[in-house]
Amino acid sequence: DGGITQSPKYLFRKEGQNVTLSCEQNLNHDAMYWYRQDPGQGLRLIYYSQIVNDFQKGDIAEGYSVSREKKESFPLTVTSAQKNPTAFYLCASKQGTGGYNEQFFGPGTRLTVL
Amino acid sequence: GEDVEQSLFLSVREGDSSVINCTYTDSSSTYLYWYKQEPGAGLQLLTYIFSNMDMKQDQRLTVLLNKKDKHLSLRIADTQTGDSAIYFCAESLSGGSYIPTFGRGTSLIVHP
């Protein structure tokens, strides 16, 4: 079965700790994305990557970092510099960069910082 | 203001039609989308419409686009309890690498 996996589904961390969220896809998609979702808010773009070894900042990149060393993997690190990290994080991928290409989403990781 | 706006809640009775509305600000939007999110899950693309179209129908779903008013709507015919979810409107632009900009989402509640 092709798809996007995110792990873990729930993650708890103490304030001040860095944490890395996993995103893996076996769809052979070129582009991958990270979004943050807060209650009553739309999705806000954190980072995206359209090709291996390259990535771009989204609208709310401060306090986050990413890497794209492999086509199938796009991990997101939430650093201690992120002031309000508790949120639902969604990873997505897309075959190409056209508007008609469907963006597929993973099931999400809910991060709670205590 | 927000690029994409939609009302936060809609409540309908099972079997009725639901109409979810969305307005967007960028007149150069080339693709407009409707996504569905069930509780605790990721988003699923329901349908999209290219900006040179006025209407698109797909089974129980009808999308209407009014370019003059920058208004997009999603009509769900014969709404079922399984349609209860959050529905997101999104737009993408050619100059923005076609990365969707999402609205806040409309929570659709279907009563038996």
Side-chain angles (χ1 to χ4, degrees):
Chain A
D1 273 341
I4 303 175
T5 56
Q6 292 186 243
S7 60
K9 190 165 179 63
Y10 299 96
L11 189 55
F12 297 88
R13 278 295 181 269
K14 291 183 179 178
E15 198 171 336
Q17 289 182 332
N18 291 356
V19 60
T20 297
L21 281 60
S22 165
C23 177
E24 304 278 330
Q25 53 97 1
N26 61 3
L27 300 166
N28 200 34
H29 285 174
D30 295 311
M32 296 186 75
Y33 310 82
W34 274 106
Y35 292 92
R36 171 183 171 136
Q37 185 179 19
D38 295 285
Q41 300 287 324
L43 276 65
R44 291 183 290 170
L45 183 66
I46 305 172
Y47 268 99
Y48 66 100
S49 167
Q50 294 182 318
I51 196 168
V52 174
N53 292 322
D54 188 44
F55 48 82
Q56 309 294 330
K57 290 182 180 180
D59 300 319
I60 56 164
E62 186 175 348
Y64 299 97
S65 65
V66 292
S67 62
R68 187 85 187 278
E69 296 175 3
K70 298 187 294 183
K71 188 175 186 177
E72 58 269 24
S73 178
F74 191 40
L76 173 75
T77 297
V78 185
T79 75
S80 56
Q82 167 51 233
K83 293 184 174 54
N84 187 16
T86 294
F88 189 50
Y89 290 87
L90 287 162
C91 179
S93 71
K94 197 162 78 162
Q95 171 60 41
T97 54
Y100 49 83
N101 295 122
E102 180 177 351
Q103 200 173 37
F104 289 84
F105 283 82
T109 292
R110 187 167 298 280
L111 172 65
T112 303
V113 175
L114 307 169
Chain B
E2 290 182 0
D3 296 325
V4 180
E5 292 191 13
Q6 45 185 139
S7 56
L8 293 183
F9 299 99
L10 177 64
S11 178
V12 300
R13 195 172 300 276
E14 190 175 16
D16 289 350
S17 291
S18 308
V19 180
I20 303 172
N21 295 301
C22 168
T23 57
Y24 59 96
T25 55
D26 201 312
S27 59
S28 60
S29 293
T30 49
Y31 287 89
L32 294 135
Y33 311 86
W34 284 105
Y35 286 84
K36 178 183 181 181
Q37 184 182 34
E38 297 188 356
L43 275 68
Q44 176 192 3
L45 180 67
L46 288 176
T47 187
Y48 70 88
I49 189 166
F50 189 54
S51 59
N52 69 352
M53 297 168 67
D54 297 322
M55 186 183 91
K56 183 176 181 181
Q57 189 154 1
D58 184 2
Q59 299 181 349
R60 291 191 297 125
L61 305 179
T62 303
V63 178
L64 294 176
L65 175 60
N66 181 329
K67 289 183 284 295
K68 175 176 169 291
D69 296 336
K70 300 192 188 73
H71 182 267
L72 183 75
S73 68
L74 174 69
R75 179 177 179 268
I76 305 172
D78 187 24
T79 312
Q80 303 298 307
T81 54
D83 293 324
S84 294
I86 302 176
Y87 291 81
F88 289 92
C89 173
E91 63 172 353
S92 73
L93 314 173
S94 59
S97 301
Y98 291 115
I99 299 173
T101 298
F102 291 86
R104 292 188 174 195
T106 299
S107 289
L108 175 63
I109 300 165
V110 182
H111 298 284

